[in-house]
Amino acid sequence: MTTAVERGAAAPVPGLQPGRSAARRPPAEPARRPIWHRVLFVAALVGAAVLFMLPFVWLVSASLRPREYVFAPGFLPVPFAPENYAEAWQAVPLLTWFGNSVVVGVAAAAAVTLSSAWVAFGFAYFRFPGRNLLFGLVLATMMLPFAVTMIPTYLIWSNLGLTDTQVPLWAGNLFGSAFYIFLLRQFLLSLPREYFEAARMDGASYPQLFWKLAFPLIRPALLVAFVFEFKASWTDLLKPLIYLRNEQLYTLPRGLKVVLDRFGYGGEQQWEVVLAGSVLATLPMIILFFLAQRHFVEGIATTGRKG
């Protein structure tokens, strides 16, 4: 004799064939967008890419033309004059300026990345009274324009006897940057706090939490900060103009100012030399971006995500 519960369990379920389990059906795939949506999207991307690339394409083309054809219309280097690059390389010490830019850029980027990461870790991990107020004051320093602190900063370096050296170009980054502190703090907040608590229970010190746990996990964000600052240092002209007098210490932007004064509008009107030097100064940043593109995009995509 069967009970009502057993009879209900044995009763067939409507809509299911006998012998088949009532497994959940997989969710329906989202409807694909019409093909013309994707065509318009790709066309917009291609159009924007072409628009942004046109100035650089013209720069490369003009740098490969003879002097009298530099400003000729069109984007093809006709006539073709690749000797402009050899002339620019021989006219000024580009290799020395290139090496100075690499040294200053790496020092500035490494200094600001590590110092900002330390401060960001403190704001992300520790809980203390006034933390948000202090973090707000750090962000408020971004409101100060460089012109406000330019003269006091110069007087400090002058009293230290470090003018006409490359130290002022990168040593200020040892104190961190509000922008990179914010960027790295947001990335650190996206990490589960349980990782750090478990490491503390295992006896890890605070420096070990940073170097052995946080540092490997925020590597994409660190790379973003490094590339951003390297690019900022690579293209910076104002600081070298203020602090450097010795031509052998010039960075590329300061050196290009010399090339412009000597061969451009203030000199011999050899614009092909100026443009060739500009291309040589731009190529390293393009190569750097392509080498670090995957990590760079990953860091940008995940920074700012909390929880």
Side-chain angles (χ1 to χ4, degrees):
M1 184 175 182
T2 60
T3 63
V5 175
E6 294 173 342
R7 287 194 302 270
V13 180
L16 290 179
Q17 297 181 3
R20 292 191 177 182
S21 60
R24 290 186 62 183
R25 294 182 179 179
E29 295 184 1
R32 299 184 65 181
R33 292 182 179 181
I35 186 66
W36 64 271
H37 281 186
R38 287 178 286 170
V39 171
L40 287 179
F41 180 72
V42 172
L45 289 180
V46 172
V50 171
L51 183 64
F52 281 100
M53 288 178 60
L54 277 179
F56 183 71
V57 171
W58 180 88
L59 175 66
V60 174
S61 174
S63 68
L64 291 170
R65 300 174 186 172
R67 184 179 311 173
E68 58 273 16
Y69 293 96
V70 167
F71 296 105
F75 290 94
L76 295 178
V78 179
F80 188 61
E83 61 272 10
N84 294 340
Y85 286 87
E87 184 179 353
W89 197 266
Q90 296 170 1
V92 291
L94 279 177
L95 185 60
T96 300
W97 297 343
F98 180 86
N100 293 337
S101 288
V102 171
V103 171
V104 172
V106 170
V112 79
T113 301
L114 293 177
S115 58
S116 299
W118 267 109
V119 179
F121 177 73
F123 279 120
Y125 179 77
F126 296 104
R127 304 288 190 267
F128 54 89
R131 183 186 67 158
N132 293 333
L133 175 61
L134 185 59
F135 183 65
L137 291 176
V138 171
L139 295 183
T141 60
M142 290 193 297
M143 302 295 105
L144 291 174
F146 178 73
V148 174
T149 60
M150 180 174 59
I151 295 177
T153 304
Y154 177 83
L155 293 176
I156 292 173
W157 293 118
S158 179
N159 291 330
L160 292 174
L162 293 174
T163 55
D164 202 18
T165 68
Q166 295 176 349
V167 175
L169 305 184
W170 62 268
N173 289 353
L174 292 171
F175 302 97
S177 167
F179 173 74
Y180 299 124
I181 291 171
F182 170 76
L183 184 146
L184 295 171
R185 172 184 175 270
Q186 295 304 111
F187 201 97
L188 283 162
L189 288 175
S190 68
L191 303 178
R193 189 175 179 83
E194 290 77 11
Y195 291 170
F196 301 97
E197 298 299 337
R200 285 291 293 166
M201 293 181 64
D202 290 338
S205 62
Y206 292 125
Q208 288 176 329
L209 287 183
F210 177 77
W211 288 111
K212 295 186 177 181
L213 189 59
F215 193 86
L217 293 175
I218 64 172
R219 192 171 299 166
L222 293 174
L223 184 61
V224 170
F226 186 92
V227 172
F228 273 3
E229 186 59 28
F230 187 85
K231 182 262 179 187
S233 175
W234 188 270
T235 58
D236 183 26
L237 174 61
L238 187 56
K239 286 183 181 179
L241 276 174
I242 295 173
Y243 293 105
L244 300 182
R245 297 294 179 269
N246 185 354
E247 188 170 307
Q248 295 301 314
L249 298 177
Y250 284 178
T251 58
L252 269 176
R254 182 66 181 92
L256 288 178
K257 180 65 169 60
V258 173
V259 174
L260 183 62
D261 293 339
R262 186 181 303 174
F263 300 100
Y265 56 80
E268 304 173 14
Q269 300 292 326
Q270 297 182 20
W271 285 103
E272 72 281 2
V273 177
V274 177
L275 298 178
S278 301
V279 172
L280 292 175
T282 306
L283 285 178
M285 288 307 305
I286 298 176
I287 295 172
L288 176 64
F289 176 78
F290 277 105
L291 291 178
Q293 181 180 12
R294 182 173 63 87
H295 301 286
F296 184 74
V297 174
E298 178 185 356
I300 289 292
T302 54
T303 299
R305 187 182 61 191
K306 178 180 177 182

